[in-house]
């Protein structure tokens, strides 16, 4: 989706129009999904705390200038993806804090790019500093935006 919106944005900008952007927030948890309503009006929807947290996380993508953010629950379910920890936040309507992460790349891509054998241990990737250094060169503007948000809050 991000690739498609990037192409659409480029075509809009060529025409002198503002380019659309899209943020994605993903959370993993229990929710109610399906057709809900009454006999007069029915809508297919999702409701629940997990959905609300995902919506709050999505709104943070603009603040941190990243296209996608996920919660720790989602990160823990994705063993084949390398994530970058962004921040620990308290979202509106929640008493507990939530760690948010940016999906960085597939683990296989990190291994191939680095020529380094990464090992998963306790939900983290050993050798991550090498990957972080390489990725920071490519994504420096993203890193600077995240650091700016954290410094402004301090």
């Amino acid at each position: 989706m991000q690739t498609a919106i990037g192409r659409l944005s480029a075509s809009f900008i060529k025409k002198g129009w503002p380019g659309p952007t899209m943020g994605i927030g993903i959370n993993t948890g229990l929710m109610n999904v399906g057709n809900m309503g009454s006999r007069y009006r029915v809508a297919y929807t999702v409701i629940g705390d997990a959905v609300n947290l995902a919506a709050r996380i999505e709104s943070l993508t603009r603040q941190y200038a990243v296209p996608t953010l996920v919660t720790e629950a989602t990160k823990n379910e994705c063993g084949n993806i390398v994530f970058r920890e962004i921040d620990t936040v308290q979202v509106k309507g929640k008493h507990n804090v939530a760690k948010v992460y940016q999906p960085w790349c597939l683990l296989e891509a990190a291994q191939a790019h680095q020529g380094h054998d990464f090992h998963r241990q306790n939900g983290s990737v050993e050798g991550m500093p090498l990957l972080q250094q390489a990725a920071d060169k490519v994504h420096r503007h993203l890193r600077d935006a995240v650091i700016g948000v954290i410094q402004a809050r301090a």
Side-chain angles (χ1 to χ4, degrees):
M1 287 192 297
Q2 291 291 356
T3 303
I5 201 81
R7 285 192 301 262
L8 181 64
S9 182
S11 71
F12 274 37
I13 290 169
K14 284 181 183 177
K15 295 177 182 181
W17 302 341
T21 60
M22 173 180 62
I24 299 172
I26 304 172
N27 184 33
T28 300
L30 296 175
M31 62 193 75
N32 292 313
V33 180
N35 288 321
M36 296 179 202
S38 69
R39 62 181 171 157
Y40 301 106
R41 181 173 178 202
V42 176
Y44 187 83
T45 190
V46 292
I47 57 174
D49 271 351
V51 177
N52 295 339
L53 181 55
R56 301 291 186 194
I57 297 301
E58 181 276 328
S59 69
L60 293 175
T61 61
R62 290 177 284 288
Q63 180 179 349
Y64 292 104
V66 296
T68 306
L69 288 173
V70 304
T71 61
E72 191 164 24
T74 299
K75 173 192 166 282
N76 291 340
E77 294 293 324
C78 301
N80 65 335
I81 299 175
V82 176
F83 291 88
R84 175 175 77 138
E85 184 174 339
I86 297 295
D87 203 357
T88 301
V89 297
Q90 183 170 8
V91 297
K92 184 178 175 183
K94 292 284 188 184
H95 297 291
N96 297 333
V97 296
K99 285 187 178 182
V100 292
Y101 300 84
Q102 178 187 12
W104 206 250
C105 66
L106 292 176
L107 184 58
E108 294 80 22
Q111 291 170 335
H113 180 70
Q114 289 295 317
H116 187 278
D117 188 20
F118 288 83
H119 301 284
R120 283 202 131 329
Q121 183 178 15
N122 299 326
S124 65
V125 177
E126 293 177 16
M128 187 63 162
L130 293 173
L131 174 64
Q132 192 71 41
Q133 289 171 9
D136 277 351
K137 291 177 183 175
V138 176
H139 301 291
R140 180 154 297 164
H141 67 284
L142 295 177
R143 185 192 69 210
D144 293 344
V146 171
I147 290 171
V149 169
I150 293 169
Q151 286 176 339
R153 188 177 57 220

